[in-house]
Amino acid sequence: MDRFNTGSPPTRFTGQVNVSYYDTRNDTTGAGFMTDVYLSQSADGQTFGSSVRVSDVSSNEHDCNGTFPCDSINYGNQQGDYEGVAAYEGVVHPIWTDSRRNQTPGPTCATRGLMEEVFTATVK
């Protein structure tokens, strides 16, 4: 299991530390290609509670249903380039990109599906 690309700003006023990261614990490929985004929180910056899955769909940044290379994945952009956390007064918004819809045709793309898109979740 891999965990990578963390984001961890402290929450203003409360001092809570929120860490979001990509994680391969739910990978079904056996090669670590499927990732989800998780959030871990700490009230003191030293002890973290259980992690919470915040992405509702796993993302495969390697291939398109077994097709590799895939025109719907931009291999020049690295997964996590646009990942982060916004938090205020106990409400946390992990922000990440994934390619969950890389098989969905784009409105102006006849030859490939949608590439990476930006997602967020609200955690209270």
Side-chain angles (χ1 to χ4, degrees):
M1 171 172 37
D2 295 320
R3 294 182 178 109
F4 55 96
N5 288 355
T6 63
S8 59
T11 303
R12 187 175 177 196
F13 302 120
T14 67
Q16 181 181 43
V17 176
N18 303 284
V19 179
S20 71
Y21 50 91
Y22 290 96
D23 192 305
T24 62
R25 73 180 75 178
N26 299 320
D27 175 64
T28 58
T29 68
F33 296 145
M34 300 296 289
T35 59
D36 285 287
V37 175
Y38 281 80
L39 177 73
S40 294
Q41 298 176 297
S42 173
D44 62 11
Q46 296 179 26
T47 306
F48 286 82
S50 298
S51 58
V52 175
R53 181 182 177 196
V54 294
S55 56
D56 58 351
V57 175
S58 297
S59 177
N60 183 338
E61 299 292 324
H62 178 264
D63 59 69
C64 297
N65 293 335
T67 301
F68 176 84
C70 171
D71 290 339
S72 297
I73 296 177
N74 183 346
Y75 294 101
N77 283 334
Q78 300 302 309
Q79 183 178 15
D81 282 352
Y82 305 101
E83 194 249 353
V85 176
Y88 184 76
E89 293 185 351
V91 179
V92 184
H93 301 277
I95 303 157
W96 69 95
T97 59
D98 69 41
S99 62
R100 69 178 71 180
R101 297 187 339 163
N102 67 16
Q103 299 297 292
T104 304
T108 59
C109 300
T111 61
R112 63 173 170 77
L114 297 170
M115 298 175 94
E116 286 188 336
E117 298 178 281
V118 178
F119 295 91
T120 188
T122 300
V123 180
K124 296 180 181 181

